[in-house]
Amino acid sequence: MPDASRATGGPVDGGFYTPGAPIADDRAPAGPVEDRWTTRKFEAKLVNPANKRKKKIIIIGTGLAGGSAGATLGEAGYHVVQFCFQDSPRRAHSIAAQGGINAAKNYRNDGDSVHRLFYDTVKGGDFRARESNVHRLAEISTQIIDQCVAQGVPFAREYGGLLDNRSFGGTQVSRTFYARGQTGQQLLLGAYQALMRQVDAGNVELYARHEMLDLIMQDGRARGVVVRDLITGEVKHHTADAVVLASGGYGNVYFLSTNAMGSNVTASWRAHRHGAYFANPCYTQIHPTCIPVSGDHQSKLTLMSESLRNDGRVWVPKRGGDERRPSDVPEDERDYYLERIYPSFGNLVPRDIASRAAKNVCDEGRGVGPGGLGVYLDFADAIERLGRKTVEAKYGNLFEMYERITGENPYETPMRIYPAVHYTMGGLWVDYDLQSNIPGLFVVGEANFSDHGANRLGASALMQGLADGYFVLPTGLGDYIARNDLGPVSEEAVAEAETRVRDQIERLLSIDGDRSVDSFHRELGHIMWEYCGMERTEEGLRKALELIPALREEFWTRVKVTGGGQELNQQLEKAGRVADFLELGELMVIDALHRSESCGGHFRAESQDEDGEAKRDDENFSYVAAWEWAGAGGQPVLHKEALEFEYVKPSQRSYK
């Protein structure tokens, strides 16, 4: 077994973190991997149905993970109190997911199975995820589809009436269920309807336009939250027997990303400051299929679904500086580089592979469009082979969206795409029950680190969010509730949390500086993209560790937040989120610097093979990096959870 204690970095050769005690997931049962989930469900203690309504559960977030969790726990009889900062749960960022959801149904009879989905996901994550968690996800995938069909989710169907499938990146089978190019929207509406049924039944209290700003702790346990009403500015508290964070990922630390502009890390980060470990923060997914940046005026980027790579062919001119229209470039002067380099998978290589390949050809001077930061995604072959009507039926809404944004018709001219920040595989550390190291604090969906390792396969985010909310969380949370008969929360614990929130609000409002919140966010994003983006180097990461603390210090002396605290104040909302991003950004850089291997979405230029592919270091880095907060200005403490592989042996990933 690899020695997780031999990792390089640390105070000896850098002084940027402190080694801590190793940790382990003690909730995953032993025995054959295919039996562990069944075993855990049987071993978990149950809550008497009559007692569930006496137990209060707080859920932060209403996306696929949060919405499905609220609906399921409400249906089970718990008293659920749920919050989202949007004006409606329907506006959670999950609604933007387009391409599909994976499940091992094997309707196509093409060799798929639970074990193959398990294998593909462990391999796709570059062997940096737990086998127990990933196998459970593959098992549950089939139940998710049944659940969603029962809810009326309008999945595409083939001529015989069975649900249709298509291929996605990182696999050689068709296991992705879809609803045109709006799968996330349809799945979220299914979860939303189930949630609103529980709201109507009185089992769920729903508070829209409320943002969690702190965690209430008592006796080392999570016992509630402090929230701010974003309309009135009122700060108030809610206590409970357990807290569930379903608040999404932290990709907006880069400023420009495919995330909704309101997406943030605040709920997770405030929990981290109370001792919740933050795991693998450097694992950021760069999505290969985004509309290229068009100028400094942009505040977000637009994702074009990865499903487009199922029928679109990616290419650039063979000659650098070729500014001809794509239709004027003959076939023999085009480089279909993914098909050339990776003949087994072609355009369906995993996202990290496709993203770096696009960067490489653009770095060679063969990129297309403004600044040479783009590659073509061409549907001419698919339209000729299938007909325009068939392509329109599969991708019509995506083509329409692209044309509205760029003014170009992708039926006639190839799309231009370029990689951009999309998803984050890191998140709060959780055990097999999805409970963080803080008792009573559960974390689901993209907010946790548990299933994707160093790189997420396409169409697996929707799978994880719904698996966590509908099927996994109720078992672990029920076991916790059954084993802990908690008393009331003290007034002192509530007052301390509310005071922390009010003090920070007053501090932000009192600075009255001369720089806008967005200017700091944009500058942080530039530092992160430049030094901790698609490719990282030791020199660049050390440079970022100089720039980010200086920027954070400047933020707390020069930021200008207009308006007041007792009113609708979006500048104040942003300021709190950017303050957290400034701290998270530094931890991401520290994590990337200490992990001197390349794996998945984390590519260190110093660690690549002769073909330019990521070169893992399993001997020194086969572990989860779980970081503990050490106070403002303190060195974060690194706890390592060693990873063991019994069923999918780590090997050099090859898609050739």
Side-chain angles (χ1 to χ4, degrees), residues 158-184:
E158 48 89 18
Y159 75 99
L162 289 177
L163 302 183
D164 199 10
N165 296 116
R166 55 191 178 200
S167 300
F168 243 64
T171 68
Q172 292 179 301
V173 296
S174 293
R175 66 161 65 104
T176 304
F177 295 77
Y178 65 97
R180 294 189 72 190
Q182 48 188 233
T183 313

PDB file of all heavy atoms in Angstrom, residues 158-184:
ATOM      1  N   GLU A 158     -36.439   5.991 -27.345  1.00  0.00           N
ATOM      2  CA  GLU A 158     -36.170   5.502 -28.694  1.00  0.00           C
ATOM      3  C   GLU A 158     -37.409   4.809 -29.239  1.00  0.00           C
ATOM      4  O   GLU A 158     -38.434   4.716 -28.555  1.00  0.00           O
ATOM      5  CB  GLU A 158     -34.928   4.594 -28.711  1.00  0.00           C
ATOM      6  CG  GLU A 158     -34.895   3.523 -27.643  1.00  0.00           C
ATOM      7  CD  GLU A 158     -35.568   2.251 -28.094  1.00  0.00           C
ATOM      8  OE1 GLU A 158     -35.765   2.042 -29.303  1.00  0.00           O
ATOM      9  OE2 GLU A 158     -35.910   1.451 -27.225  1.00  0.00           O
ATOM     10  N   TYR A 159     -37.338   4.325 -30.461  1.00  0.00           N
ATOM     11  CA  TYR A 159     -38.545   3.899 -31.180  1.00  0.00           C
ATOM     12  C   TYR A 159     -39.311   2.797 -30.471  1.00  0.00           C
ATOM     13  O   TYR A 159     -40.525   2.667 -30.602  1.00  0.00           O
ATOM     14  CB  TYR A 159     -38.161   3.440 -32.603  1.00  0.00           C
ATOM     15  CG  TYR A 159     -37.504   2.082 -32.646  1.00  0.00           C
ATOM     16  CD1 TYR A 159     -38.242   0.947 -32.973  1.00  0.00           C
ATOM     17  CD2 TYR A 159     -36.157   1.920 -32.354  1.00  0.00           C
ATOM     18  CE1 TYR A 159     -37.649  -0.307 -33.004  1.00  0.00           C
ATOM     19  CE2 TYR A 159     -35.562   0.689 -32.383  1.00  0.00           C
ATOM     20  CZ  TYR A 159     -36.299  -0.424 -32.712  1.00  0.00           C
ATOM     21  OH  TYR A 159     -35.709  -1.653 -32.734  1.00  0.00           O
ATOM     22  N   GLY A 160     -38.632   1.938 -29.678  1.00  0.00           N
ATOM     23  CA  GLY A 160     -39.311   0.838 -29.004  1.00  0.00           C
ATOM     24  C   GLY A 160     -39.964   1.239 -27.699  1.00  0.00           C
ATOM     25  O   GLY A 160     -40.595   0.405 -27.049  1.00  0.00           O
ATOM     26  N   GLY A 161     -39.789   2.498 -27.300  1.00  0.00           N
ATOM     27  CA  GLY A 161     -40.404   2.972 -26.072  1.00  0.00           C
ATOM     28  C   GLY A 161     -39.467   3.033 -24.887  1.00  0.00           C
ATOM     29  O   GLY A 161     -39.782   3.663 -23.868  1.00  0.00           O
ATOM     30  N   LEU A 162     -38.313   2.344 -24.976  1.00  0.00           N
ATOM     31  CA  LEU A 162     -37.344   2.427 -23.890  1.00  0.00           C
ATOM     32  C   LEU A 162     -36.700   3.810 -23.850  1.00  0.00           C
ATOM     33  O   LEU A 162     -36.650   4.519 -24.860  1.00  0.00           O
ATOM     34  CB  LEU A 162     -36.244   1.373 -24.067  1.00  0.00           C
ATOM     35  CG  LEU A 162     -36.629  -0.091 -23.831  1.00  0.00           C
ATOM     36  CD1 LEU A 162     -35.447  -0.995 -24.128  1.00  0.00           C
ATOM     37  CD2 LEU A 162     -37.098  -0.294 -22.398  1.00  0.00           C
ATOM     38  N   LEU A 163     -36.193   4.172 -22.688  1.00  0.00           N
ATOM     39  CA  LEU A 163     -35.472   5.432 -22.580  1.00  0.00           C
ATOM     40  C   LEU A 163     -34.236   5.383 -23.470  1.00  0.00           C
ATOM     41  O   LEU A 163     -33.540   4.367 -23.539  1.00  0.00           O
ATOM     42  CB  LEU A 163     -35.068   5.701 -21.134  1.00  0.00           C
ATOM     43  CG  LEU A 163     -36.202   5.752 -20.102  1.00  0.00           C
ATOM     44  CD1 LEU A 163     -35.644   6.102 -18.735  1.00  0.00           C
ATOM     45  CD2 LEU A 163     -37.271   6.756 -20.509  1.00  0.00           C
ATOM     46  N   ASP A 164     -33.959   6.490 -24.120  1.00  0.00           N
ATOM     47  CA  ASP A 164     -32.820   6.566 -25.032  1.00  0.00           C
ATOM     48  C   ASP A 164     -31.549   6.876 -24.240  1.00  0.00           C
ATOM     49  O   ASP A 164     -31.598   7.412 -23.135  1.00  0.00           O
ATOM     50  CB  ASP A 164     -33.077   7.643 -26.086  1.00  0.00           C
ATOM     51  CG  ASP A 164     -32.185   7.478 -27.299  1.00  0.00           C
ATOM     52  OD1 ASP A 164     -31.518   6.435 -27.412  1.00  0.00           O
ATOM     53  OD2 ASP A 164     -32.148   8.403 -28.128  1.00  0.00           O
ATOM     54  N   ASN A 165     -30.415   6.531 -24.833  1.00  0.00           N
ATOM     55  CA  ASN A 165     -29.111   6.819 -24.240  1.00  0.00           C
ATOM     56  C   ASN A 165     -28.197   7.422 -25.283  1.00  0.00           C
ATOM     57  O   ASN A 165     -28.357   7.180 -26.479  1.00  0.00           O
ATOM     58  CB  ASN A 165     -28.433   5.544 -23.710  1.00  0.00           C
ATOM     59  CG  ASN A 165     -29.197   4.913 -22.573  1.00  0.00           C
ATOM     60  OD1 ASN A 165     -29.690   3.805 -22.705  1.00  0.00           O
ATOM     61  ND2 ASN A 165     -29.299   5.597 -21.457  1.00  0.00           N
ATOM     62  N   ARG A 166     -27.208   8.173 -24.802  1.00  0.00           N
ATOM     63  CA  ARG A 166     -26.140   8.604 -25.688  1.00  0.00           C
ATOM     64  C   ARG A 166     -24.806   8.486 -24.956  1.00  0.00           C
ATOM     65  O   ARG A 166     -24.768   8.281 -23.747  1.00  0.00           O
ATOM     66  CB  ARG A 166     -26.355  10.033 -26.185  1.00  0.00           C
ATOM     67  CG  ARG A 166     -26.547  11.117 -25.133  1.00  0.00           C
ATOM     68  CD  ARG A 166     -27.003  12.389 -25.847  1.00  0.00           C
ATOM     69  NE  ARG A 166     -27.273  13.522 -24.963  1.00  0.00           N
ATOM     70  CZ  ARG A 166     -28.017  14.562 -25.313  1.00  0.00           C
ATOM     71  NH1 ARG A 166     -28.575  14.600 -26.510  1.00  0.00           N
ATOM     72  NH2 ARG A 166     -28.214  15.572 -24.495  1.00  0.00           N
ATOM     73  N   SER A 167     -23.727   8.591 -25.711  1.00  0.00           N
ATOM     74  CA  SER A 167     -22.400   8.485 -25.123  1.00  0.00           C
ATOM     75  C   SER A 167     -21.982   9.813 -24.521  1.00  0.00           C
ATOM     76  O   SER A 167     -22.479  10.872 -24.890  1.00  0.00           O
ATOM     77  CB  SER A 167     -21.381   8.056 -26.185  1.00  0.00           C
ATOM     78  OG  SER A 167     -21.729   6.810 -26.736  1.00  0.00           O
ATOM     79  N   PHE A 168     -21.050   9.740 -23.599  1.00  0.00           N
ATOM     80  CA  PHE A 168     -20.483  10.943 -22.990  1.00  0.00           C
ATOM     81  C   PHE A 168     -18.988  10.723 -22.808  1.00  0.00           C
ATOM     82  O   PHE A 168     -18.486   9.597 -22.925  1.00  0.00           O
ATOM     83  CB  PHE A 168     -21.144  11.220 -21.639  1.00  0.00           C
ATOM     84  CG  PHE A 168     -21.893  12.518 -21.578  1.00  0.00           C
ATOM     85  CD1 PHE A 168     -22.996  12.739 -22.380  1.00  0.00           C
ATOM     86  CD2 PHE A 168     -21.491  13.523 -20.724  1.00  0.00           C
ATOM     87  CE1 PHE A 168     -23.694  13.923 -22.319  1.00  0.00           C
ATOM     88  CE2 PHE A 168     -22.187  14.717 -20.652  1.00  0.00           C
ATOM     89  CZ  PHE A 168     -23.288  14.922 -21.445  1.00  0.00           C
ATOM     90  N   GLY A 169     -18.270  11.781 -22.498  1.00  0.00           N
ATOM     91  CA  GLY A 169     -16.819  11.708 -22.372  1.00  0.00           C
ATOM     92  C   GLY A 169     -16.365  10.712 -21.317  1.00  0.00           C
ATOM     93  O   GLY A 169     -16.940  10.606 -20.244  1.00  0.00           O
ATOM     94  N   GLY A 170     -15.297   9.972 -21.643  1.00  0.00           N
ATOM     95  CA  GLY A 170     -14.678   9.061 -20.693  1.00  0.00           C
ATOM     96  C   GLY A 170     -15.243   7.663 -20.701  1.00  0.00           C
ATOM     97  O   GLY A 170     -14.826   6.834 -19.885  1.00  0.00           O
ATOM     98  N   THR A 171     -16.183   7.359 -21.599  1.00  0.00           N
ATOM     99  CA  THR A 171     -16.776   6.022 -21.632  1.00  0.00           C
ATOM    100  C   THR A 171     -16.856   5.527 -23.072  1.00  0.00           C
ATOM    101  O   THR A 171     -16.826   6.312 -24.017  1.00  0.00           O
ATOM    102  CB  THR A 171     -18.188   6.008 -21.023  1.00  0.00           C
ATOM    103  OG1 THR A 171     -19.073   6.738 -21.884  1.00  0.00           O
ATOM    104  CG2 THR A 171     -18.191   6.647 -19.647  1.00  0.00           C
ATOM    105  N   GLN A 172     -17.002   4.211 -23.199  1.00  0.00           N
ATOM    106  CA  GLN A 172     -17.172   3.608 -24.517  1.00  0.00           C
ATOM    107  C   GLN A 172     -18.531   2.924 -24.660  1.00  0.00           C
ATOM    108  O   GLN A 172     -18.736   2.137 -25.576  1.00  0.00           O
ATOM    109  CB  GLN A 172     -16.039   2.607 -24.775  1.00  0.00           C
ATOM    110  CG  GLN A 172     -14.680   3.283 -24.934  1.00  0.00           C
ATOM    111  CD  GLN A 172     -13.572   2.275 -25.153  1.00  0.00           C
ATOM    112  OE1 GLN A 172     -13.349   1.408 -24.321  1.00  0.00           O
ATOM    113  NE2 GLN A 172     -12.869   2.389 -26.264  1.00  0.00           N
ATOM    114  N   VAL A 173     -19.436   3.219 -23.743  1.00  0.00           N
ATOM    115  CA  VAL A 173     -20.797   2.689 -23.815  1.00  0.00           C
ATOM    116  C   VAL A 173     -21.773   3.865 -23.792  1.00  0.00           C
ATOM    117  O   VAL A 173     -21.416   4.984 -23.450  1.00  0.00           O
ATOM    118  CB  VAL A 173     -21.103   1.740 -22.637  1.00  0.00           C
ATOM    119  CG1 VAL A 173     -20.206   0.522 -22.693  1.00  0.00           C
ATOM    120  CG2 VAL A 173     -20.945   2.455 -21.310  1.00  0.00           C
ATOM    121  N   SER A 174     -23.024   3.593 -24.147  1.00  0.00           N
ATOM    122  CA  SER A 174     -24.068   4.616 -24.103  1.00  0.00           C
ATOM    123  C   SER A 174     -24.878   4.417 -22.823  1.00  0.00           C
ATOM    124  O   SER A 174     -25.739   3.541 -22.760  1.00  0.00           O
ATOM    125  CB  SER A 174     -24.977   4.515 -25.336  1.00  0.00           C
ATOM    126  OG  SER A 174     -24.260   4.841 -26.502  1.00  0.00           O
ATOM    127  N   ARG A 175     -24.583   5.252 -21.820  1.00  0.00           N
ATOM    128  CA  ARG A 175     -25.274   5.116 -20.543  1.00  0.00           C
ATOM    129  C   ARG A 175     -25.847   6.448 -20.055  1.00  0.00           C
ATOM    130  O   ARG A 175     -26.299   6.543 -18.915  1.00  0.00           O
ATOM    131  CB  ARG A 175     -24.313   4.567 -19.479  1.00  0.00           C
ATOM    132  CG  ARG A 175     -23.166   5.494 -19.107  1.00  0.00           C
ATOM    133  CD  ARG A 175     -22.543   5.122 -17.759  1.00  0.00           C
ATOM    134  NE  ARG A 175     -21.900   3.832 -17.778  1.00  0.00           N
ATOM    135  CZ  ARG A 175     -20.574   3.649 -17.826  1.00  0.00           C
ATOM    136  NH1 ARG A 175     -19.762   4.686 -17.879  1.00  0.00           N
ATOM    137  NH2 ARG A 175     -20.070   2.439 -17.808  1.00  0.00           N
ATOM    138  N   THR A 176     -25.851   7.459 -20.899  1.00  0.00           N
ATOM    139  CA  THR A 176     -26.291   8.775 -20.464  1.00  0.00           C
ATOM    140  C   THR A 176     -27.738   9.025 -20.879  1.00  0.00           C
ATOM    141  O   THR A 176     -28.053   9.080 -22.070  1.00  0.00           O
ATOM    142  CB  THR A 176     -25.374   9.867 -21.040  1.00  0.00           C
ATOM    143  OG1 THR A 176     -24.030   9.591 -20.654  1.00  0.00           O
ATOM    144  CG2 THR A 176     -25.774  11.224 -20.516  1.00  0.00           C
ATOM    145  N   PHE A 177     -28.624   9.142 -19.902  1.00  0.00           N
ATOM    146  CA  PHE A 177     -30.035   9.443 -20.130  1.00  0.00           C
ATOM    147  C   PHE A 177     -30.187  10.956 -20.243  1.00  0.00           C
ATOM    148  O   PHE A 177     -29.528  11.709 -19.521  1.00  0.00           O
ATOM    149  CB  PHE A 177     -30.879   8.901 -18.971  1.00  0.00           C
ATOM    150  CG  PHE A 177     -30.858   7.401 -18.870  1.00  0.00           C
ATOM    151  CD1 PHE A 177     -29.765   6.735 -18.330  1.00  0.00           C
ATOM    152  CD2 PHE A 177     -31.931   6.651 -19.326  1.00  0.00           C
ATOM    153  CE1 PHE A 177     -29.738   5.346 -18.243  1.00  0.00           C
ATOM    154  CE2 PHE A 177     -31.916   5.267 -19.244  1.00  0.00           C
ATOM    155  CZ  PHE A 177     -30.818   4.615 -18.702  1.00  0.00           C
ATOM    156  N   TYR A 178     -31.090  11.411 -21.116  1.00  0.00           N
ATOM    157  CA  TYR A 178     -31.129  12.850 -21.383  1.00  0.00           C
ATOM    158  C   TYR A 178     -32.533  13.306 -21.757  1.00  0.00           C
ATOM    159  O   TYR A 178     -33.392  12.507 -22.142  1.00  0.00           O
ATOM    160  CB  TYR A 178     -30.146  13.201 -22.498  1.00  0.00           C
ATOM    161  CG  TYR A 178     -30.501  12.597 -23.851  1.00  0.00           C
ATOM    162  CD1 TYR A 178     -31.192  13.344 -24.802  1.00  0.00           C
ATOM    163  CD2 TYR A 178     -30.157  11.292 -24.175  1.00  0.00           C
ATOM    164  CE1 TYR A 178     -31.532  12.804 -26.039  1.00  0.00           C
ATOM    165  CE2 TYR A 178     -30.487  10.738 -25.400  1.00  0.00           C
ATOM    166  CZ  TYR A 178     -31.175  11.498 -26.331  1.00  0.00           C
ATOM    167  OH  TYR A 178     -31.514  10.968 -27.547  1.00  0.00           O
ATOM    168  N   ALA A 179     -32.727  14.601 -21.627  1.00  0.00           N
ATOM    169  CA  ALA A 179     -33.956  15.249 -22.092  1.00  0.00           C
ATOM    170  C   ALA A 179     -33.516  16.426 -22.962  1.00  0.00           C
ATOM    171  O   ALA A 179     -33.286  17.525 -22.462  1.00  0.00           O
ATOM    172  CB  ALA A 179     -34.798  15.731 -20.913  1.00  0.00           C
ATOM    173  N   ARG A 180     -33.320  16.139 -24.226  1.00  0.00           N
ATOM    174  CA  ARG A 180     -32.724  17.095 -25.168  1.00  0.00           C
ATOM    175  C   ARG A 180     -31.453  17.669 -24.547  1.00  0.00           C
ATOM    176  O   ARG A 180     -30.626  16.947 -24.015  1.00  0.00           O
ATOM    177  CB  ARG A 180     -33.715  18.197 -25.546  1.00  0.00           C
ATOM    178  CG  ARG A 180     -34.911  17.683 -26.338  1.00  0.00           C
ATOM    179  CD  ARG A 180     -35.757  18.824 -26.880  1.00  0.00           C
ATOM    180  NE  ARG A 180     -35.099  19.523 -27.986  1.00  0.00           N
ATOM    181  CZ  ARG A 180     -35.547  20.665 -28.493  1.00  0.00           C
ATOM    182  NH1 ARG A 180     -36.635  21.242 -27.987  1.00  0.00           N
ATOM    183  NH2 ARG A 180     -34.927  21.226 -29.505  1.00  0.00           N
ATOM    184  N   GLY A 181     -31.325  18.979 -24.555  1.00  0.00           N
ATOM    185  CA  GLY A 181     -30.167  19.624 -23.943  1.00  0.00           C
ATOM    186  C   GLY A 181     -30.565  20.353 -22.679  1.00  0.00           C
ATOM    187  O   GLY A 181     -29.983  21.393 -22.352  1.00  0.00           O
ATOM    188  N   GLN A 182     -31.543  19.833 -21.965  1.00  0.00           N
ATOM    189  CA  GLN A 182     -32.018  20.516 -20.759  1.00  0.00           C
ATOM    190  C   GLN A 182     -32.300  19.496 -19.649  1.00  0.00           C
ATOM    191  O   GLN A 182     -33.260  19.620 -18.895  1.00  0.00           O
ATOM    192  CB  GLN A 182     -33.265  21.337 -21.069  1.00  0.00           C
ATOM    193  CG  GLN A 182     -34.321  20.592 -21.852  1.00  0.00           C
ATOM    194  CD  GLN A 182     -35.465  21.473 -22.321  1.00  0.00           C
ATOM    195  OE1 GLN A 182     -36.616  21.178 -22.075  1.00  0.00           O
ATOM    196  NE2 GLN A 182     -35.145  22.559 -22.988  1.00  0.00           N
ATOM    197  N   THR A 183     -31.414  18.511 -19.537  1.00  0.00           N
ATOM    198  CA  THR A 183     -31.641  17.434 -18.576  1.00  0.00           C
ATOM    199  C   THR A 183     -31.669  17.951 -17.146  1.00  0.00           C
ATOM    200  O   THR A 183     -32.524  17.562 -16.342  1.00  0.00           O
ATOM    201  CB  THR A 183     -30.559  16.354 -18.726  1.00  0.00           C
ATOM    202  OG1 THR A 183     -30.406  16.039 -20.115  1.00  0.00           O
ATOM    203  CG2 THR A 183     -30.937  15.108 -17.952  1.00  0.00           C
ATOM    204  N   GLY A 184     -30.727  18.818 -16.799  1.00  0.00           N
ATOM    205  CA  GLY A 184     -30.688  19.358 -15.446  1.00  0.00           C
ATOM    206  C   GLY A 184     -31.965  20.082 -15.079  1.00  0.00           C
ATOM    207  O   GLY A 184     -32.471  19.963 -13.951  1.00  0.00           O
TER     208      GLY A 184
END
